[in-house]
């Protein structure tokens, strides 16, 4: 085995160890020691390649966003956009399907998006750019074909949907917490209910205007 191959194998072993630790624990509780312990990685080898846990966390976040971008780009091509509600519903489902197929990445996503370390926010924002660009392009196209209420333009509608996109899974779990969501079919039903409220509101526009 060449030196280059040994280095690649060592980096891969560290990557897998970090993935396991960050997939099960919040960012704050993971340490370089916890990544080394139980994974057969010496501190000498660890610090030869990575100086701190931030390097490893951002490496995982970069890998995740690249994989998500590839999944989004592929699956978005299958959405025709004829029915805006159904199209947005399927758009949210792309990520949910991804995390059902790759559950070890879900906690890393939530740590990066919902509980980001303050000193890493800028780096995470930059790493998410490929996903953000795909989302913006797709949602702009969908919102441009929606019958928006007077005074609301497609750009504002796009930003609104973008703003709830990454917190939607948490909202979904809370909305149907008593019933439980155990499969994609149940998730799709719950998602339809929430999206109808998000897009069409709670209060009758007729009653509201009458007041």
């Amino acid at each position: 085995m060449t030196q280059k191959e040994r280095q690649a194998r060592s980096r891969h072993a560290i990557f897998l160890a970090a993935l396991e630790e960050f997939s099960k624990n919040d960012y704050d509780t993971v340490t370089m020691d916890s990544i080394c312990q139980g994974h057969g990685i010496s501190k000498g080898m660890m610090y030869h390649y990575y100086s701190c846990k931030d390097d490893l966390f951002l490496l995982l976040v970069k890998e995740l966003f690249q994989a998500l971008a590839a999944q989004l780009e592929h699956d978005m091509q299958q959405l025709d956009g004829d029915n805006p509600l159904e199209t947005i519903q399927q758009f949210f489902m792309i990520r949910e399907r991804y995390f059902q197929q790759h559950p070890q990445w879900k906690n890393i996503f939530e740590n990066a998006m919902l509980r980001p370390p303050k000193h890493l926010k800028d780096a995470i924002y930059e790493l998410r750019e490929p996903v953000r660009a795909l989302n913006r392009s797709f949602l702009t196209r969908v919102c441009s074909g929606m019958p928006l209420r007077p005074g609301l333009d497609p750009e504002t509608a796009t930003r609104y949907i973008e703003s709830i996109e990454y917190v939607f899974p948490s909202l979904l779990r809370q909305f149907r917490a008593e019933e439980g969501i155990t499969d994609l079919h149940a998730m799709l039903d719950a998602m339809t209910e929430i999206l109808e409220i998000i897009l069409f509101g709670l209060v009758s526009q007729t009653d509201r205007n009458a007041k």
Side-chain angles (χ1 to χ4, degrees), residues 81-130:
D82 290 342
N83 183 321
L85 175 61
E86 183 177 324
T87 301
I88 294 174
Q89 177 190 70
Q90 291 298 326
F91 165 74
F92 283 135
M93 284 298 294
I94 292 173
R95 196 181 65 199
E96 291 308 308
R97 281 195 296 267
Y98 178 85
F99 286 127
Q100 286 213 348
Q101 294 167 1
H102 307 89
Q104 71 273 33
W105 290 96
K106 190 176 182 68
N107 192 57
I108 295 169
F109 178 86
E110 291 179 350
N111 270 269
M113 297 305 300
L114 303 181
R115 302 180 295 275
K118 289 183 179 180
H119 64 292
L120 297 181
K121 279 187 175 181
D122 290 344
I124 292 171
Y125 184 87
E126 184 176 342
L127 290 173
R128 190 173 178 260
E129 176 55 31

Side-chain angles (χ1 to χ4, degrees), residues 138-168:
F138 176 78
L139 291 173
T140 297
R141 179 159 48 87
V142 173
C143 290
S144 295
M146 293 173 64
L148 301 174
R149 63 178 175 79
L152 188 63
D153 57 73
E155 182 180 355
T156 302
T158 297
R159 285 191 287 109
Y160 172 64
I161 296 174
E162 276 186 307
S163 71
I164 64 171
E165 186 261 337
Y166 70 89
V167 298
F168 195 83

